[in-house]
């Protein structure tokens, strides 16, 4: 807001104590502005300084500050235009997410943040333990941690009497409610202790995980597509000013790009066809491309950005060896009914699958992967008692914010990013 003061303004004598970052109360009349930068301005009749700001030390000055610098002052960065706009669009995306699922009859389920199971089986979990804080004042020594005779940590003496972790995904718990209530979704924080210092990875991120009962992979892909189109349309219609801001300052053309997402069908491709496409392309990739290997971010970005000109692409039917234990095996014996939805710049936005609802197949898979069947007893019970075909997906909320605002780095899409080496604020 441009505020115009004259020597007649009440409190005019205080203006020397108003520096960038101060809080003030202003009263006046809104009038159309003569300047070109804003439509209206406030003709101030009275000004009161509420909180002064020290001009010699306030870190964010009026000139443009880099995003890297602003991350070091994450407590003050929401005061900038960019972070204000990101916060509002993030809020609108969360609202639209609840609205989409609620309007379509899904029940929101709270999945636990502390868990004893590893949903993705990738071992990227943070331990939750009181063994350290309880065993010594002022930080523990390793010798204070109780151990078993063979020198392992004795988890039976820990708070939960077994190893416990911050969850990597609410899916397994979500499935229990989907097989009782029909369609459900979760929306909450998830955690990954993966040492990835990239512009697309956080150690703490929010995930939206719908689970559809009596559904197969096609239903799952249809749900993911209409959900994404719905939330994108919602912000285009309800966050116009902020979207114009992103279009001008953050990513030129983002509004056209998002309009295309809403209007055009997504590309569908099998994993095998994706491999063929990559092998046949002229581009030199850093990582090898071969049937059976996972797609790397450079491959995913090539597919959506180059091969399909910026359209979202859904790849399905991945080799079972590179996917999680719970995915349903296809009849070919080699692939599973999995899908990833890829978008330009971000790469993988959504990962989902049809779940293995056949008890013998699921047990066989746990055995093959050397996972402890006993610890999944309750998950297997869902297949023992009234099993139903079901499917679901997980969408990384911060990647959605990245996609919808054009922000380059995922650390700028969440108020207080947690990444390797940094948990400030
Ligand atoms: O592909 P992921 O690992 O799938 C699951 O966790 C399934 N249990 C989901 C399900 O079927 N219910 O993760 C899902 C999504 C990814 O596509 C990505 O958008 C996001 O979560 N994601 C991350 N976002 C930020 N930082 C990270 N370290 C992320 N890891 C995954
Ligand atoms: Mg994935």
């Amino acid at each position: 807001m441009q505020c115009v003061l004259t020597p007649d303004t009440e409190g005019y004598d205080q203006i020397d104590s108003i520096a960038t970052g101060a809080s003030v109360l202003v009263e006046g009349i809104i009038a159309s502005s003569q300047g070109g930068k804003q439509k209206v301005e406030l003709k101030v009749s009275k000004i009161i300084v509420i909180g002064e700001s020290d001009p010699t030390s306030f870190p964010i000055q009026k000139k443009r500050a880099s995003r890297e610098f602003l991350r070091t002052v994450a407590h003050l960065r929401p005061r900038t235009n960019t972070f204000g706009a990101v916060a509002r669009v993030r809020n609108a995306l969360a609202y639209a997410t609840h609205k989409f699922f609620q309007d379509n009859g899904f029940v929101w389920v709270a999945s636990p943040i502390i868990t004893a199971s590893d949903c993705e089986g990738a071992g990227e979990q943070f331990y939750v333990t009181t063994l350290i804080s309880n065993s010594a004042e002022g930080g523990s020594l390793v010798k204070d941690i109780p151990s078993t005779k063979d020198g392992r940590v004795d988890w039976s003496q820990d708070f939960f009497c077994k190893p416990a972790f911050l969850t990597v995904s609410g899916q397994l718990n979500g499935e229990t409610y989907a097989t009782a209530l029909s369609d459900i979704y979760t929306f909450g924080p998830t955690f990954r202790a993966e040492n990835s210092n990239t512009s697309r990875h956080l150690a703490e991120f929010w995930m939206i995980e719908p689970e559809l009962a009596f559904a197969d992979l096609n239903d799952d892909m249809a749900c993911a597509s209409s959900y994404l189109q719905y939330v994108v349309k919602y912000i285009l219609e309800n966050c116009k000013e902020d979207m114009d801001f992103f279009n001008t300052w953050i990513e030129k053309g983002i509004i056209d790009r998002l309009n295309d997402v809403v209007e055009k069908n997504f590309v569908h491709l099998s994993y095998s066809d994706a491999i063929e496409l990559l092998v046949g392309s002229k581009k030199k990739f850093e990582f090898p491309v071969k049937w059976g290997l996972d797609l790397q971010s450079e491959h995913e970005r090539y597919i959506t950005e180059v091969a399909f000109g910026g359209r979202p692409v859904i790849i399905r039917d991945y080799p079972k060896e590179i996917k999680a234990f719970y995915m349903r095996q296809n009849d070919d014996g080699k692939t599973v009914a999995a899908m990833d939805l890829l978008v330009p710049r971000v790469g993988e936005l959504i990962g989902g699958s049809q779940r293995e609802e056949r008890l013998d197949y699921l047990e066989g898979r746990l055995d093959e992967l050397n996972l402890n069947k006993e610890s999944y007893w309750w998950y297997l019970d869902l297949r023992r008692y009234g099993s139903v075909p079901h499917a679901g997906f997980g969408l990384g909320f911060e990647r959605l914010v990245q996609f919808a605002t054009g922000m380059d780095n995922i650390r700028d899409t969440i108020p207080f990013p947690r990444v390797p080496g940094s948990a400030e604020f």
Side-chain angles (χ1 to χ4, degrees), residues 273-322:
D273 289 344
I275 293 294
E276 220 166 277
L277 184 154
L278 291 167
V279 168
S281 87
K282 291 197 187 75
K283 189 167 159 60
K284 288 265 167 292
F285 296 109
E286 189 186 333
F287 292 92
V289 179
K290 201 177 132 208
W291 202 98
L293 297 181
D294 207 357
L295 300 179
Q296 301 297 321
S297 149
E298 56 168 348
H299 308 135
E300 296 177 340
R301 293 189 59 171
Y302 176 84
I303 292 170
T304 106
E305 290 170 16
V306 184
F308 294 105
R311 278 165 74 191
V313 176
I314 302 182
I315 300 184
R316 61 178 289 171
D317 300 324
Y318 283 80
K320 67 176 182 186
E321 281 74 21
I322 57 172

Side-chain angles (χ1 to χ4, degrees), residues 167-221:
T167 190
V168 296
S169 156
Q171 177 198 323
L172 304 187
N173 300 86
E175 284 183 51
T176 67
Y177 270 68
T179 52
L181 305 187
S182 204
D183 302 344
I184 62 96
Y185 67 110
T186 72
F187 187 0
T190 49
F191 308 85
R192 305 231 171 148
E194 60 186 319
N195 203 357
S196 302
N197 259 305
T198 79
S199 60
R200 313 171 318 123
H201 288 89
L202 290 166
E204 174 180 303
F205 63 99
W206 286 60
M207 189 150 46
I208 292 148
E209 295 186 89
E211 194 67 36
L212 291 72
F214 304 101
D216 62 14
L217 191 67
N218 291 323
D219 301 316
D220 201 32
M221 297 190 296

